[in-house]
Amino acid sequence: MILAVVVCVLAFSKAAVALDNGLMRTPPMGWLAWERFRCDIDCDNDPKNCISENLFRDMADRLAEDGWKELGYVYVNIDDCWSSMDRDNNGRLQPDPKRFPGGIANLARYLHDRGLKLGIYGDLGTHTCGGYPGTTLDKIQTDAQTFADWGVDMLKLDGCYSNASYQEQGYPLMTKALNATGRPIGYSCSWPAYQGGLPPKVNYTLLGEICNLWRNYGDIQDSWDSVLNIIDWFFDNQDVLQPAAGPGRWNDPDMVSQEHFTLMCESDSIIPD
Ligand SMILES: *[C@@H]1O[C@H](CO)[C@@H](O)[C@H](O)[C@H]1NC(C)=O
Ligand SMILES: *[C@@H]1O[C@H](CO)[C@@H](O)[C@H](O)[C@H]1NC(C)=O
Ligand SMILES: *[C@@H]1O[C@H](CO)[C@@H](O)[C@H](O)[C@H]1NC(C)=O
């Protein structure tokens, strides 16, 4: 099953400054592992579904060979649970050696050869939500450089195991660190989801200046109720959310499946009562 990251364009508003990395002038589209495959790391018993380089290669093949790429679905995004539990001797993140034996740079090459882009996941805090090594403030530059060296095209930076002041410092620092690598890397910030998604805690003007994309609200789950709950929240708060979006800066209602997307964006009448 193909699940796609879809950012519903709530509106194109004029003015407002966007993160100046030239990326995501239109909403990014692609595939993200979490909603379906979660933190399944049991490759011995569940080789088809575990978080491994094989899973991402398979998905890349599907996007490239089944017509998705032509429609714009070019991002193949790794979520949590990809890394080793330990950083390497130089303090750099490294993939789990058993599940990603070829390394992330090889995986990126595989995608690039097919005209696709690779997204990866990090967490601003002591640990990722799944308990893997997080990006503490002192590791921001190292991790940005590691991702750039690997040829990564997009970073989702989650916010588990940190706090409000940490996030206020860390999210803009990562913007600078990514820029300093010289590699254009799309930057997806989970920050507002940790601030309740709305002003006055969330400053959408600032987010538009430092992130290409941001998670406003809770994770989507594998259920219709969850999809409707998210749609309702975006509907209720559209007056705040709409002006925040524009080329290079997007609200992200979280990955939704292609079927969900079709229903959400094309036909109100299909949505069940
Ligand atoms: C870094 O920022 C500068 C100034 O905002 C911009 O011109 C440049 O394209 C950025 N580079 C990358 C790799 O994002
Ligand atoms: C936030 O987290 C940092 C790093 O763990 C810690 O030093 C700081 O005291 C925390 N601040 C609050 C208000 O809890
Ligand atoms: C929001 O961020 C913008 C841009 O950094 C800043 O100019 C503005 O003062 C901030 N607004 C609030 C209410 O803090």
Side-chain angles (χ1 to χ4, degrees), residues 17 19 26 29 33 43-44 64 92 100 110 148 154 171 174 177 183-184 218 226 244 255:
V17 185
L19 172 56
T26 56
M29 293 163 67
C43 291
D44 290 336
R92 289 163 65 115
F100 293 84
Y110 186 89
M154 175 172 172
Y171 278 101
M174 182 59 88
R183 181 177 179 81
S226 168
M255 53 192 162

Side-chain angles (χ1 to χ4, degrees), residues 125-126 136-137 161-167 169:
T126 55
T136 46
L137 294 181
Y161 299 105
S162 62
N163 58 40
S165 58
Y166 211 79
Q167 292 172 2
Q169 289 180 73

Side-chain angles (χ1 to χ4, degrees), residues 18-23 175-176 178-185:
L19 172 56
D20 188 14
N21 59 8
L23 297 174
T175 308
K176 290 206 176 93
L178 290 173
N179 183 277
T181 68
R183 181 177 179 81
I185 297 179

Side-chain angles (χ1 to χ4, degrees), residues 2 9 35 41 80-81 90 96 110 115 156 177 190 197 199 203 240:
I2 294 277
V9 187
E35 194 270 350
I41 57 170
D80 202 353
C81 308
N90 298 316
D96 180 275
Y110 186 89
K156 170 184 171 182
S190 299
N203 182 340
V240 168

Side-chain angles (χ1 to χ4, degrees), residues 140-262:
I140 285 177
Q141 283 182 348
T142 304
D143 292 356
Q145 192 59 54
T146 302
F147 297 145
D149 291 347
W150 286 342
V152 163
D153 304 294
M154 175 172 172
L155 169 66
K156 170 184 171 182
L157 192 62
D158 213 340
C160 278
Y161 299 105
S162 62
N163 58 40
S165 58
Y166 211 79
Q167 292 172 2
E168 197 176 331
Q169 289 180 73
Y171 278 101
L173 280 178
M174 182 59 88
T175 308
K176 290 206 176 93
L178 290 173
N179 183 277
T181 68
R183 181 177 179 81
I185 297 179
Y187 183 29
S188 167
C189 301
S190 299
W191 188 14
Y194 288 86
Q195 299 173 300
L198 297 171
K201 279 203 175 155
V202 178
N203 182 340
Y204 278 111
T205 307
L206 174 62
L207 276 169
E209 292 168 0
I210 65 166
C211 310
N212 294 116
L213 188 69
W214 47 79
R215 279 287 309 282
N216 316 65
Y217 190 59
D219 283 0
I220 195 166
Q221 309 298 328
D222 205 349
S223 80
W224 213 185
D225 281 351
S226 168
V227 173
L228 290 181
N229 176 265
I230 290 172
I231 295 173
D232 284 346
W233 188 86
F234 276 82
F235 174 80
D236 289 344
N237 298 296
Q238 58 184 299
D239 291 347
V240 168
L241 302 176
Q242 241 175 252
R249 49 190 177 89
W250 305 105
N251 296 298
D252 176 4
D254 204 10
M255 53 192 162
V256 291
S257 75
Q258 176 61 20
E259 302 91 277
H260 295 160
F261 172 64
T262 306

